[in-house]
Amino acid sequence: MQPPLENESIVLVFALSGLNETMGKRFVFFSLTALYYPLIVLCNVTIIYTVISHKKFHEPMYVFICNLCVNGLFGTAGFYPKFMYDLLSHDHVISYAGCLIQIFVIYSSVLCDFSTLTVMAYDRYVAICRPLEYHSIMTNQRVLECILFCWLSPFFCTCVVIVLASRLTLCGSSIEKLYCENWSVVKLSCFSTTVNNVIGYVIIIIYFGHAQFIFCSYINLIAKCRKSIEGRHKFIQTCVPHLLALLSVTGASMFDVLYTRYGSKNLPQDLRNFMALEFLLIPPISNPLIYGLNLTRLRKEVIKLLFKKEVEISD
């Protein structure tokens, strides 16, 4: 048994140092965030309400889009309220329990994005490559199973990460980011973190494997769609937005993973913060905009809802 370390202590709160060098701009950041976060909420709630309130959108594709928007609200709720509070406060701290909750919300939200985009790729594959079997395959039960997969698998993976992090004995309490994230907590451990590292890499590989599965399925879709004008139109209407959403989520997540594990402290703090926040800045707003603007039926209903205009909806 190892002897206790002098610096070992029970950590009750963590200090977030991501704002230390930018406090002079905090009111600018607060004003921008106070405009941006409500815009995220508005865009996502608009898509959710439109899908739920119209029976013609009670189809798998629109249900999954709705799920993507619900997840956007879930993930951003784990960051923006606390971030806005910190911008107005001189002490940027978070409780140990609050830190673990924030890790759970943010991490499970990112993983849920990948899971949702994966089932959306499966839905588009069946719709385009096996159209005659679509309704027999994508039943209400299958859609429910897909939704459960989107949420339960990220929750399980994130719970494993949280349990492994909570068992660590910590020798520090300073996190060099704007929010709590797993690797920053693990780095504070007094002892070996091999298990945490291995599990972390396994989860990263699994979910980037989701992205590879999506790209492979789209190779088949492209080969199928290029044979007919109708197929190309369907691909552009329903698959291109999905690919844009995937690139947005994957690119933003890659930035955070690479910065968190290999990022240099020599970079300006504003740039480091942007790299760490990209997946909380871009996908939550780009997903509803991509689908809301690109899908004709959904776009017309959103315009009708926002501007109260009588717009004829084409089937």
Side-chain angles (χ1 to χ4, degrees):
M1 184 175 178
Q2 283 186 281
L5 301 179
E6 289 185 9
N7 293 333
E8 179 184 330
S9 62
I10 298 175
V11 175
L12 299 178
V13 296
F14 291 99
L16 303 173
S17 60
L19 282 173
N20 287 359
E21 297 175 20
T22 56
M23 285 303 287
K25 307 173 187 174
R26 61 178 177 158
F27 293 113
V28 174
F29 290 144
F30 180 84
S31 300
L32 293 174
T33 307
L35 293 173
Y36 190 68
Y37 181 47
L39 180 62
I40 290 175
V41 174
L42 174 64
C43 290
N44 284 281
V45 168
T46 300
I47 298 296
I48 293 167
Y49 176 80
T50 303
V51 171
I52 291 176
S53 60
H54 294 83
K55 287 187 177 181
K56 61 187 166 188
F57 293 133
H58 294 179
E59 301 173 6
M61 181 178 69
Y62 295 106
V63 171
F64 296 143
I65 292 172
C66 183
N67 189 68
L68 204 60
C69 292
V70 170
N71 183 54
L73 295 177
F74 172 67
T76 52
F79 169 72
Y80 283 98
K82 176 68 170 69
F83 176 60
M84 293 177 72
Y85 175 82
D86 285 343
L87 286 170
L88 298 179
S89 173
H90 291 285
D91 298 318
H92 308 140
V93 297
I94 186 170
S95 68
Y96 184 87
C99 183
L100 295 183
I101 291 171
Q102 190 172 56
I103 291 172
F104 176 81
V105 172
I106 292 176
Y107 270 54
S108 58
S109 174
V110 174
L111 299 185
C112 185
D113 264 346
F114 280 105
S115 297
T116 304
L117 291 170
T118 301
V119 299
M120 290 173 75
Y122 173 71
D123 173 70
R124 290 300 85 203
Y125 171 81
V126 176
I128 294 174
C129 296
R130 301 167 64 183
L132 299 179
E133 303 172 68
Y134 181 76
H135 293 290
S136 62
I137 294 176
M138 296 305 295
T139 61
N140 290 339
Q141 182 178 347
R142 178 61 58 84
V143 172
L144 178 59
E145 289 171 354
C146 288
I147 295 295
L148 290 175
F149 166 76
C150 291
W151 289 95
L152 295 183
S153 57
F155 280 2
F156 173 77
C157 291
T158 311
C159 282
V160 171
V161 167
I162 295 293
V163 169
L164 290 176
S166 64
R167 57 182 277 277
L168 296 175
T169 302
L170 306 181
C171 288
S173 60
S174 178
I175 295 176
E176 298 176 353
K177 295 188 82 169
L178 298 170
Y179 58 91
C180 276
E181 56 91 20
N182 180 63
W183 184 243
S184 296
V185 174
V186 170
K187 287 192 295 186
L188 300 174
S189 174
C190 305
F191 306 114
S192 172
T193 60
T194 302
V195 175
N196 300 71
N197 293 340
V198 170
I199 295 299
Y201 280 118
V202 167
I203 292 174
I204 289 171
I205 291 170
I206 288 172
Y207 277 89
F208 277 98
H210 283 40
Q212 284 189 321
F213 167 81
I214 296 170
F215 282 121
C216 288
S217 69
Y218 270 77
I219 292 174
N220 290 327
L221 287 176
I222 291 170
K224 179 76 174 179
C225 291
R226 61 196 293 261
K227 295 177 181 178
S228 69
I229 296 176
E230 183 183 354
R232 288 196 293 270
H233 177 72
K234 185 180 290 187
F235 181 85
I236 292 171
Q237 280 288 305
T238 63
C239 298
V240 170
H242 184 239
L243 280 176
L244 292 175
L246 176 65
L247 291 173
S248 172
V249 172
T250 304
S253 301
M254 280 285 291
F255 261 113
D256 184 60
V257 169
L258 293 175
Y259 164 70
T260 299
R261 291 180 177 256
Y262 310 110
S264 171
K265 294 182 181 179
N266 296 325
L267 295 173
Q269 191 173 64
D270 285 344
L271 179 59
R272 281 183 280 151
N273 287 340
F274 176 76
M275 291 174 68
L277 287 179
E278 194 177 351
F279 70 94
L280 287 165
L281 289 170
I282 298 176
I285 194 73
S286 65
N287 288 339
L289 289 179
I290 287 170
Y291 288 107
L293 294 176
N294 196 279
L295 298 177
T296 305
R297 294 174 64 192
L298 192 55
R299 180 177 68 245
K300 288 183 177 181
E301 276 298 344
V302 168
I303 293 173
K304 184 178 179 180
L305 175 66
L306 293 178
F307 299 101
K308 306 297 181 183
K309 290 181 179 179
E310 290 297 327
V311 178
E312 185 179 352
I313 310 300
S314 59
D315 293 325

